[in-house]
Amino acid sequence: MSGEVDALYLYLCGVTAFFTLLIYALVIYFVIRYRRRNPSEIPRPIEGSTKLETLWSVIPLLIAMTIFVWGAKVYFAQYRPAQNALEVYVVGKQWMWKFQHATGQREINELHVPVGQRVKLIMTTEDVIHDVFIPAFRIKVDVVPGKYTTEWFNATKPGRYNFFCAEYCGMNHSGMRGYIEVMEPTAYENWLSGNAAASPAAAGRGLFESLGCVSCHGANAEGGRGPALMGVYGSKVVLNDGQSVVADEGYVRESILNPQAKIVTGFGPIMPSFQGQISEEQLLQLVAYVKSLSTAKPETPTEKPPPPSAKPSAQPKSSPSASPKK
Ligand code: CUA
């Protein structure tokens, strides 16, 4: 991909250089060729040439279109979310980057990935806008409060590649940087097993229970106060206003923070908002859990979810055990 970007950039430079030289050369040539040869000389009037004018409109148009088509092709390849990618959650904050792998490993300001595999970053921020810029991979995407953005790459050579925050975000903006360690697959497996941790989906399941979500959204929730979430992620959801949306990360996030925004048809607007009660990382864990309910081999709870009466205090590892009364 970086090769494609470079080729396009070289092409642009080439076209620019060619026309710059052509125009300068012609200016010099015409200055000499048509200079005034004696003081009494009166130039012949020129009527213009339709043929010539058409030519120098059509040729640049065709050249511009090659840039447009090529550029669009590269852009779409780069900014369409990748399929079958290794997913890594990214949270930016002043002034550091937090990464969490789907298998649970956490890292700060460094990211280990295997070579030759697509890696998709699902990114958000706890505070202001940041931007993940990885020059060697030719990618750069803003990280925006309140939503998820993504970017992906497929590293082709093992090694260490710098990345930077590319959006001015305060005093230590320039220090908000790190590196991506691209490893051979076996070395990567070793690294993973040496840093094992609870996966975000598993942590999300803990939250799902401790926050009481399970009492309305559980597989066997009584009365069906909220839609069951099995298989929801990635599917089309019909809303009570007749519209339908695809349940992606952004939708799940919105439904947790602003449940009234999109209500699934057949359900009432009774869910409380969790805005301000959970951190961005916890939010990502909940999203990861909902996603895991839709994958082919879901990370299904082996034990039954606790009954609706389960108290938040049942889960040790949740900080905001404070409120949600559902
Ligand atoms: Cu974060 Cu600049």
Side-chain angles (χ1 to χ4, degrees), residues 55-298:
L55 207 64
W56 71 44
S57 300
V58 169
I59 289 176
L61 175 73
L62 292 178
I63 294 173
M65 289 315 278
T66 63
I67 298 170
F68 167 70
V69 170
W70 191 358
K73 197 172 142 274
V74 172
Y75 181 89
F76 281 124
Q78 210 167 40
Y79 288 98
R80 269 209 193 115
Q83 305 297 316
N84 307 321
L86 207 66
E87 296 188 344
V88 176
Y89 297 110
V90 183
V91 176
K93 66 176 282 194
Q94 287 166 321
W95 290 276
M96 61 196 261
W97 293 104
K98 297 189 276 191
F99 298 97
Q100 186 166 25
H101 294 254
T103 38
Q105 289 78 3
R106 290 165 179 282
E107 304 188 64
I108 286 179
N109 291 347
E110 52 186 75
L111 175 62
H112 291 74
V113 296
V115 71
Q117 188 171 353
R118 292 173 172 203
V119 177
K120 177 181 173 190
L121 306 180
I122 300 167
M123 316 184 292
T124 190
T125 158
E126 282 180 29
D127 37 48
V128 299
I129 300 181
H130 304 277
D131 186 301
V132 177
F133 177 34
I134 314 173
F137 303 162
R138 312 287 190 269
I139 53 173
K140 177 174 173 295
V141 171
D142 272 1
V143 176
V144 183
K147 65 178 281 194
Y148 296 126
T149 53
T150 64
E151 68 184 329
W152 69 274
F153 57 85
N154 186 346
T156 51
K157 245 190 261 168
R160 183 180 271 214
Y161 304 94
N162 286 301
F163 68 85
F164 304 92
C165 179
E167 186 69 59
Y168 182 68
C169 57
M171 192 174 67
N172 292 332
H173 157 70
S174 62
M176 195 170 162
R177 48 188 290 184
Y179 60 85
I180 293 178
E181 187 80 49
V182 176
M183 311 171 88
E184 294 291 354
T186 47
Y188 177 70
E189 288 305 322
N190 286 341
W191 181 86
L192 276 186
S193 53
N195 291 274
S199 73
R205 177 156 64 86
L207 281 170
F208 195 76
E209 290 164 6
S210 65
L211 292 169
C213 316
V214 69
S215 64
C216 292
H217 291 293
N220 334 306
E222 284 166 17
R225 279 175 288 173
L229 301 181
M230 199 62 74
V232 163
Y233 181 82
S235 71
K236 230 185 200 149
V237 177
V238 181
L239 305 177
N240 62 0
D241 61 2
Q243 295 192 311
S244 60
V245 291
V246 173
D248 56 6
E249 286 111 1
Y251 169 80
V252 176
R253 176 198 177 86
E254 181 185 54
S255 297
I256 295 170
L257 296 181
N258 183 11
Q260 315 306 335
K262 296 193 175 72
I263 293 170
V264 176
T265 184
F267 293 94
I270 55 170
M271 177 171 160
S273 165
F274 286 80
Q275 186 87 51
Q277 300 182 37
I278 49 179
S279 71
E280 286 294 344
E281 275 168 284
Q282 290 175 314
L283 202 46
L284 275 169
Q285 289 166 352
L286 283 171
V287 171
Y289 172 62
V290 172
K291 280 165 89 165
S292 75
L293 297 174
S294 295
T295 46
K297 36 163 192 39

